[in-house]
Amino acid sequence: METNLPRVWRAYASDAKYESLRMLRAPAFAGPFLLLPAGLYMLFGVVLFGADIAKDPKTALFLFMGFSIMGVMGPGMFGFGITISTEREHGLLRLRRALPGPPAAPLLAKMLMSMLFVAIVMASMAAVAPLGHLRLPASRMLAVSLVCILGSAPFCALGFLIGSLASAKSAPAFVNLLYLPMIYLSGILFPLPKSAEWIAHLSPAYHLDQIALAAVWAPHAGIPLVHAAVLAAITVVFTAFAVRRVARHD
């Protein structure tokens, strides 16, 4: 068993490497998810409202967190939702199960790919943060980056669930039907009226946003451990349901 362990780790590492390279080489995927968060942050935080934000540090942090969380959501939801549905429809998941290798390697590879994308997004956000009049110590920037990288897991699970249910043609539409409302109704980019604040609590983006704010010692709602428990529950439940669905119907 011990002699096979290095080979198992190499199998996981190889899958993660080539999955990441595959998605990085896909301009339609890599371009929007790597460039859009920092680009939109600079558009709103520097070009359009830079003078006003310079006078309001709270708004500067709010915008930074909002576009950072948006950058976390996309790679997991689209990376899992579209690729899983395509691979399932073309029988690639069935083929992978027939080949020698760790059965969980393809899923772990996609999750690590998502985390790599989020790490790149956070590096770009950290680079442009001073332009948006945000000053965070390096330790707090590192803390929020780690929170966002780990926080990609529930969005991977959500994308996995969509990919296990939808066809290859319909998966992008279903992902967008959740992705776009989740951005606008979670309160991460636009404050919601008090009468509608309960809607934000239904979104994993809201819970991740509160943990990220707590990581930089900023005012936040609720208890970080409760938010983390909600995200962990979403990850476990959605992943379990998706695995069961794929095993039964693939």
Side-chain angles (χ1 to χ4, degrees):
M1 192 74 176
E2 293 180 358
T3 57
N4 289 332
L5 191 58
R7 297 177 62 185
V8 172
W9 283 113
R10 282 197 298 271
Y12 280 113
S14 177
D15 265 30
K17 172 185 175 181
Y18 289 111
E19 180 69 21
S20 299
L21 287 174
R22 176 168 75 108
M23 302 312 289
L24 285 169
R25 290 172 177 172
F29 183 86
F33 296 124
L34 293 181
L35 302 177
L36 202 58
L40 289 176
Y41 174 70
M42 291 190 66
L43 175 64
F44 287 96
V46 180
V47 178
L48 297 180
F49 306 109
D52 296 326
I53 290 175
K55 306 172 186 176
D56 188 357
K58 290 183 179 179
T59 301
L61 181 60
F62 178 82
L63 276 182
F64 176 83
M65 289 298 183
F67 286 115
S68 295
I69 301 301
M70 188 186 78
V72 174
M73 296 166 56
M77 292 183 67
F78 285 89
F80 265 84
I82 295 175
T83 59
I84 288 291
S85 62
T86 302
E87 292 173 4
R88 180 174 59 83
E89 194 166 284
H90 290 82
L92 295 179
L93 293 181
R94 192 183 304 115
L95 175 63
R96 285 301 303 263
R97 288 201 297 270
L99 295 175
L107 298 180
L108 183 61
K110 288 177 173 57
M111 179 172 288
L112 292 176
M113 174 276 297
S114 175
M115 291 182 173
L116 172 63
F117 269 64
V118 174
I120 297 173
V121 167
M122 293 308 300
S124 65
M125 290 296 294
V128 300
L131 300 176
H133 309 285
L134 180 67
R135 300 290 187 271
L136 281 179
S139 58
R140 295 188 182 182
M141 186 65 75
L142 177 61
V144 73
S145 298
L146 291 175
V147 165
C148 287
I149 291 171
L150 295 176
S152 64
F155 301 103
C156 292
L158 182 55
F160 186 19
L161 179 61
I162 295 172
S164 71
L165 295 170
S167 66
K169 290 183 178 179
S170 64
F174 281 113
V175 174
N176 275 303
L177 281 174
L178 288 176
Y179 177 72
L180 295 175
M182 196 180 297
I183 289 176
Y184 294 111
L185 298 179
S186 61
I188 62 172
L189 291 180
F190 308 98
L192 298 177
K194 289 189 176 181
S195 60
E197 284 182 352
W198 63 272
I199 299 176
H201 293 230
L202 303 176
S203 170
Y206 165 80
H207 297 284
L208 181 59
D209 188 44
Q210 299 308 313
I211 298 175
L213 289 170
V216 297
W217 299 91
H220 57 277
I223 303 171
L225 284 177
V226 174
H227 294 302
V230 171
L231 294 179
I234 290 172
T235 303
V236 171
V237 172
F238 286 3
T239 300
F241 188 89
V243 167
R244 185 178 181 184
R245 165 76 182 182
V246 169
R248 282 189 172 185
H249 299 276
D250 183 37

